[in-house]
Amino acid sequence: MARSQAHRALPADLLASAAWQEACRARDFARIFRLVKVKAGIYPSRIAALCGMTPSRVGEIMAGRRGLAHIDVIERVADGLRIPGAMLGLAHRPWEIPAPARTEERPPEPSPAVPGEPQRTEPAEELDDLLALVDGRATRSTLTALRSSVQDYWRRDNAHGGATLRPAVVGHLRYVGRLLDSAEGGLRHDLQGVAAELARLSGWAYFDARQYSTARTYFTQALKLSHTQGDSLFMANVLSCMSLLATYDGNPNDAVALACRAQDAARAVGEQPLVMSMLHLREAFAHAALRDAQACHQAVDRSRDQYERSRGHEVEAPDWVQYFDETKLLVDTGIAYARLGEPARAEPLITEGLRRENADQQRGRAFHAYWLASAQLQLGKLDEACTSASLALDLAAAIDSPRVSSHVQELHRRMLPYAREAPVLAFEQRMREALG
């Protein structure tokens, strides 16, 4: 297959035309894609490749059967087609800013490695091999220490974000892969479970960094490992993560399918009402992104019913779903309503959730403050929205989570119509001080 040419800037006369500028102001991507095809000679298949989409999805957008709403996908289109950020109401894109003086480039981060699969040896991996030889075979105490590390990673991820954890988690995943080479019987089976959890954690850390393609690769690895183990419940867990990723990546139809498949996997195990409650809310998020109000409300109702069934349920829920308590049910229901465009329902639920949450849950509280501000902005409560946005900003500045920071920046863009109002001016000043 011939290698595609790198895309250059769009023609100046196209960028200056009234039709183009109006299409960009309206974020009318059907017109934008048609103009790119006619005026720049970039055909749908090439648009798809540049923007990280499938050709069929581009065709649906051009035909007006599908739109683009999620900011991550809009930014990807701007970068792929080299549309100046200001035209789409975005901040200046990285490629619009002059490059600094050339410095020595950092080597790329290693690609995910499936345990047991031969990989090209890098210097760091040679050191891992030597240390593995010294360590010898895995034991039950090794397994206990690994599980403890995974729990600590999740705690630190929730408190500080996943960006700084990624090298350690990926390194641990490679290490467990090497231990699997010499492990046998029940110990090998348990180590595969640890590897699946580390792969899911790696995917989550990359998801938090908004590196969605790499996150999907690790989630897929976790799915394969849990399938090898025959662990349907953990497969449901991974599928729920992939559903949330698809929602963020602008593929809500895929998100619905993944959430429903996760529910099927959980049902195969038997009665797990707490797991099902969480999975129904992931489905609700996807329906909300599709603006399917009836399906969203039905999924929320099923989630609430399953949560009530989980109270006093005899079968203990797995550790990975224990975070999903009544407060989380409350705030996630509010987020589903906010996504759906029902801010009056969303505001009291998210407010109550924030009131109940522990102060050390910084990343979760930052997201919830963002969604509260979003609902309040939809309701026209500008003062309250700026207060909630300031809380999200303060929390975002204290953690390393590009996903949180992008939410705060998106909120700022949505406040542009009120740019001269005193609360917005004060928020902008705090944002410049906190995030630059």
Side-chain angles (χ1 to χ4, degrees), residues 193 196-197 200 219-243 257-269 275 278-279 282 318 320:
E197 183 63 24
R200 183 176 78 99
F219 284 145
T220 301
Q221 182 179 348
L223 197 63
K224 290 178 179 177
L225 284 163
S226 54
H227 181 266
T228 299
Q229 275 199 304
D231 190 343
S232 295
L233 263 185
F234 195 81
M235 288 174 64
N237 183 14
V238 178
L239 287 165
S240 75
C241 294
M242 298 178 80
S243 174
L258 287 162
C260 291
R261 184 66 188 87
Q263 293 164 24
D264 291 341
R267 286 191 192 97
V269 177
V275 173
M278 182 272 287
L279 295 176
R282 291 286 166 89
W320 49 261

Side-chain angles (χ1 to χ4, degrees), residues 24 31 39 95 97 168 253 256 261 298 305 309 315 341 347 356-357 368 373 404 411:
C24 287
R31 290 171 61 195
K39 301 294 185 181
W95 48 266
I97 302 170
N253 286 306
V256 171
R261 184 66 188 87
Q298 288 174 346
D305 291 344
R309 288 186 59 205
V315 178
E347 185 188 20
R356 294 186 187 187
E357 283 175 331
H368 303 158
V404 172
L411 197 57

